[in-house]
Amino acid sequence: MMKLHVAAAASLLLALAATAGAVTFTTTNEASNTTGGQRFDQAVGLAYANQVLYNASTFIWSTFNQTSLADRKPVDAITLVVADVPGVAFTSDDNITLGAQYVGDYSGDVKTEVSGVLFHETTHVWQWNGQGQANPGLIEGIADYVRLKAGYPARGWVQPGQGDRWDDGYAVTARFLDYLDSLKPGFVALLNAKMKYGYTDDFFAQILGKSVQELWQKYKAKYA
Ligand SMILES: *[C@@H]1O[C@H](CO)[C@@H](O)[C@H](O)[C@H]1NC(C)=O
Ligand SMILES: *[C@@H]1O[C@H](CO)[C@@H](O)[C@H](O)[C@H]1NC(C)=O
Ligand SMILES: *[C@@H]1O[C@H](CO)[C@@H](O)[C@H](O)[C@H]1NC(C)=O
Ligand SMILES: *[C@@H]1O[C@H](CO)[C@@H](O)[C@H](O)[C@H]1NC(C)=O
């Protein structure tokens, strides 16, 4: 009896682990009674957005060089909700909220823009944040770095070499990270891996042998 119990418990655990390995993606539109929500349904669609969440996740694991499940953040499910809220989008834990008003007001190819926004937000789900200690500009820069590498830079982004501070965030930091990754391919993956346990700007020096300020000076000089 005891043995059977143990065997049953073991197989139950295996089944749970297998389920945990497969991430579930769910997209819903809670704003379909608004003009922005209707534009989302017409120009993007639930199925397409859900596919972007999946594609973004596999792209992020590859960018972060997380070939095994053990390397990744333990996330079972990602939800996307299109909601009648101000702002572009935000991510809380594993839930992404996309602003229907933004979708409604965007002039241009909204399907491509939403794809780029979702690559950025999905990065927030998967990236490490240094146990909450990481530089916020760096967090946003890594999310836009992924968006850039996926081929979805937003209209109006700064060009390489632009910006005043390495941790200004978003595209400024993304362009800088792209430069650093060209110095050492896989740099962003190594940086993210270090950010699992904590954060210090010294991570840049640990990986590249120069402080982040020195690296920023070199980057600015290259494009001067
Ligand atoms: C849309 O529906 C929600 C929930 O029923 C409601 O709270 C909201 O006021 C509606 N918005 C519009 C623009 O009709
Ligand atoms: C997802 O990726 C596949 C494979 O690269 C591609 O064929 C497909 O068009 C992508 N779908 C979306 C919605 O980005
Ligand atoms: C995320 O979504 C799940 C499922 O809808 C919910 O249980 C959870 O409370 C949400 N978390 C946050 C931080 O919004
Ligand atoms: C990716 O990670 C593997 C170990 O899991 C390592 O051997 C390899 O060098 C890494 N690739 C890069 C580009 O850092």
PDB file of all heavy atoms in Angstrom, residues 47-49 51-52 54-55 115 119 152, ligand 2:
ATOM      1  N   ALA A  47      -6.527  36.148 -31.474  1.00  0.00           N
ATOM      2  CA  ALA A  47      -5.658  35.020 -31.851  1.00  0.00           C
ATOM      3  C   ALA A  47      -4.261  35.520 -32.202  1.00  0.00           C
ATOM      4  O   ALA A  47      -3.254  34.924 -31.791  1.00  0.00           O
ATOM      5  CB  ALA A  47      -6.270  34.264 -33.022  1.00  0.00           C
ATOM      6  N   TYR A  48      -4.202  36.612 -32.942  1.00  0.00           N
ATOM      7  CA  TYR A  48      -2.901  37.161 -33.331  1.00  0.00           C
ATOM      8  C   TYR A  48      -2.120  37.615 -32.097  1.00  0.00           C
ATOM      9  O   TYR A  48      -0.936  37.312 -31.945  1.00  0.00           O
ATOM     10  CB  TYR A  48      -3.103  38.326 -34.313  1.00  0.00           C
ATOM     11  CG  TYR A  48      -1.812  38.906 -34.817  1.00  0.00           C
ATOM     12  CD1 TYR A  48      -1.191  38.402 -35.956  1.00  0.00           C
ATOM     13  CD2 TYR A  48      -1.188  39.970 -34.143  1.00  0.00           C
ATOM     14  CE1 TYR A  48       0.007  38.914 -36.415  1.00  0.00           C
ATOM     15  CE2 TYR A  48       0.012  40.490 -34.596  1.00  0.00           C
ATOM     16  CZ  TYR A  48       0.600  39.968 -35.729  1.00  0.00           C
ATOM     17  OH  TYR A  48       1.794  40.485 -36.166  1.00  0.00           O
ATOM     18  N   ALA A  49      -2.786  38.352 -31.211  1.00  0.00           N
ATOM     19  CA  ALA A  49      -2.103  38.851 -30.015  1.00  0.00           C
ATOM     20  C   ALA A  49      -1.588  37.692 -29.167  1.00  0.00           C
ATOM     21  O   ALA A  49      -0.471  37.730 -28.640  1.00  0.00           O
ATOM     22  CB  ALA A  49      -3.059  39.726 -29.188  1.00  0.00           C
ATOM     23  N   GLN A  51      -0.711  34.805 -30.242  1.00  0.00           N
ATOM     24  CA  GLN A  51       0.458  34.240 -30.940  1.00  0.00           C
ATOM     25  C   GLN A  51       1.691  35.108 -30.691  1.00  0.00           C
ATOM     26  O   GLN A  51       2.801  34.593 -30.546  1.00  0.00           O
ATOM     27  CB  GLN A  51       0.156  34.160 -32.446  1.00  0.00           C
ATOM     28  CG  GLN A  51       1.278  33.569 -33.284  1.00  0.00           C
ATOM     29  CD  GLN A  51       1.426  32.066 -33.088  1.00  0.00           C
ATOM     30  OE1 GLN A  51       0.434  31.364 -32.955  1.00  0.00           O
ATOM     31  NE2 GLN A  51       2.664  31.590 -33.051  1.00  0.00           N
ATOM     32  N   VAL A  52       1.493  36.422 -30.602  1.00  0.00           N
ATOM     33  CA  VAL A  52       2.628  37.308 -30.312  1.00  0.00           C
ATOM     34  C   VAL A  52       3.183  37.011 -28.908  1.00  0.00           C
ATOM     35  O   VAL A  52       4.397  36.984 -28.714  1.00  0.00           O
ATOM     36  CB  VAL A  52       2.241  38.794 -30.444  1.00  0.00           C
ATOM     37  CG1 VAL A  52       3.376  39.692 -29.972  1.00  0.00           C
ATOM     38  CG2 VAL A  52       1.870  39.131 -31.884  1.00  0.00           C
ATOM     39  N   TYR A  54       3.209  34.217 -27.368  1.00  0.00           N
ATOM     40  CA  TYR A  54       3.965  32.963 -27.491  1.00  0.00           C
ATOM     41  C   TYR A  54       5.299  33.216 -28.199  1.00  0.00           C
ATOM     42  O   TYR A  54       6.362  32.830 -27.710  1.00  0.00           O
ATOM     43  CB  TYR A  54       3.131  31.934 -28.265  1.00  0.00           C
ATOM     44  CG  TYR A  54       3.896  30.672 -28.559  1.00  0.00           C
ATOM     45  CD1 TYR A  54       3.929  29.622 -27.643  1.00  0.00           C
ATOM     46  CD2 TYR A  54       4.602  30.534 -29.751  1.00  0.00           C
ATOM     47  CE1 TYR A  54       4.652  28.473 -27.902  1.00  0.00           C
ATOM     48  CE2 TYR A  54       5.337  29.390 -30.022  1.00  0.00           C
ATOM     49  CZ  TYR A  54       5.352  28.362 -29.092  1.00  0.00           C
ATOM     50  OH  TYR A  54       6.079  27.239 -29.353  1.00  0.00           O
ATOM     51  N   ASN A  55       5.222  33.895 -29.350  1.00  0.00           N
ATOM     52  CA  ASN A  55       6.452  34.180 -30.102  1.00  0.00           C
ATOM     53  C   ASN A  55       7.428  35.008 -29.274  1.00  0.00           C
ATOM     54  O   ASN A  55       8.630  34.772 -29.288  1.00  0.00           O
ATOM     55  CB  ASN A  55       6.123  34.950 -31.387  1.00  0.00           C
ATOM     56  CG  ASN A  55       5.596  34.043 -32.488  1.00  0.00           C
ATOM     57  OD1 ASN A  55       5.306  32.871 -32.265  1.00  0.00           O
ATOM     58  ND2 ASN A  55       5.464  34.593 -33.684  1.00  0.00           N
ATOM     59  N   SER A 115       2.307  44.692 -31.596  1.00  0.00           N
ATOM     60  CA  SER A 115       3.280  43.589 -31.508  1.00  0.00           C
ATOM     61  C   SER A 115       4.525  44.046 -30.757  1.00  0.00           C
ATOM     62  O   SER A 115       5.022  43.344 -29.864  1.00  0.00           O
ATOM     63  CB  SER A 115       3.668  43.105 -32.908  1.00  0.00           C
ATOM     64  OG  SER A 115       2.536  42.666 -33.616  1.00  0.00           O
ATOM     65  N   PHE A 119       6.020  42.663 -27.169  1.00  0.00           N
ATOM     66  CA  PHE A 119       7.376  42.130 -26.943  1.00  0.00           C
ATOM     67  C   PHE A 119       7.994  42.809 -25.715  1.00  0.00           C
ATOM     68  O   PHE A 119       8.651  42.171 -24.900  1.00  0.00           O
ATOM     69  CB  PHE A 119       8.268  42.314 -28.181  1.00  0.00           C
ATOM     70  CG  PHE A 119       8.246  41.134 -29.111  1.00  0.00           C
ATOM     71  CD1 PHE A 119       7.196  40.942 -29.999  1.00  0.00           C
ATOM     72  CD2 PHE A 119       9.259  40.186 -29.090  1.00  0.00           C
ATOM     73  CE1 PHE A 119       7.148  39.835 -30.851  1.00  0.00           C
ATOM     74  CE2 PHE A 119       9.235  39.076 -29.934  1.00  0.00           C
ATOM     75  CZ  PHE A 119       8.177  38.904 -30.813  1.00  0.00           C
ATOM     76  N   TYR A 152      10.970  45.261 -33.960  1.00  0.00           N
ATOM     77  CA  TYR A 152       9.819  46.147 -33.727  1.00  0.00           C
ATOM     78  C   TYR A 152      10.192  47.467 -33.050  1.00  0.00           C
ATOM     79  O   TYR A 152       9.506  47.887 -32.106  1.00  0.00           O
ATOM     80  CB  TYR A 152       8.773  45.433 -32.854  1.00  0.00           C
ATOM     81  CG  TYR A 152       8.064  44.285 -33.503  1.00  0.00           C
ATOM     82  CD1 TYR A 152       8.309  42.968 -33.106  1.00  0.00           C
ATOM     83  CD2 TYR A 152       7.124  44.501 -34.507  1.00  0.00           C
ATOM     84  CE1 TYR A 152       7.633  41.894 -33.681  1.00  0.00           C
ATOM     85  CE2 TYR A 152       6.449  43.434 -35.093  1.00  0.00           C
ATOM     86  CZ  TYR A 152       6.710  42.141 -34.671  1.00  0.00           C
ATOM     87  OH  TYR A 152       6.034  41.093 -35.240  1.00  0.00           O
TER      88      TYR A 152
HETATM   89  C1  LIG B   2       5.147  33.846 -34.841  1.00  0.00           C
HETATM   90  O1  LIG B   2       6.348  33.261 -35.287  1.00  0.00           O
HETATM   91  C2  LIG B   2       6.196  32.424 -36.414  1.00  0.00           C
HETATM   92  C3  LIG B   2       7.538  31.737 -36.644  1.00  0.00           C
HETATM   93  O2  LIG B   2       8.571  32.658 -36.734  1.00  0.00           O
HETATM   94  C4  LIG B   2       5.752  33.284 -37.587  1.00  0.00           C
HETATM   95  O3  LIG B   2       5.565  32.477 -38.737  1.00  0.00           O
HETATM   96  C5  LIG B   2       4.435  33.958 -37.238  1.00  0.00           C
HETATM   97  O4  LIG B   2       4.066  34.845 -38.271  1.00  0.00           O
HETATM   98  C6  LIG B   2       4.572  34.725 -35.945  1.00  0.00           C
HETATM   99  N1  LIG B   2       3.253  35.210 -35.554  1.00  0.00           N
HETATM  100  C7  LIG B   2       3.068  36.402 -35.026  1.00  0.00           C
HETATM  101  C8  LIG B   2       1.652  36.741 -34.690  1.00  0.00           C
HETATM  102  O5  LIG B   2       3.971  37.184 -34.785  1.00  0.00           O
END
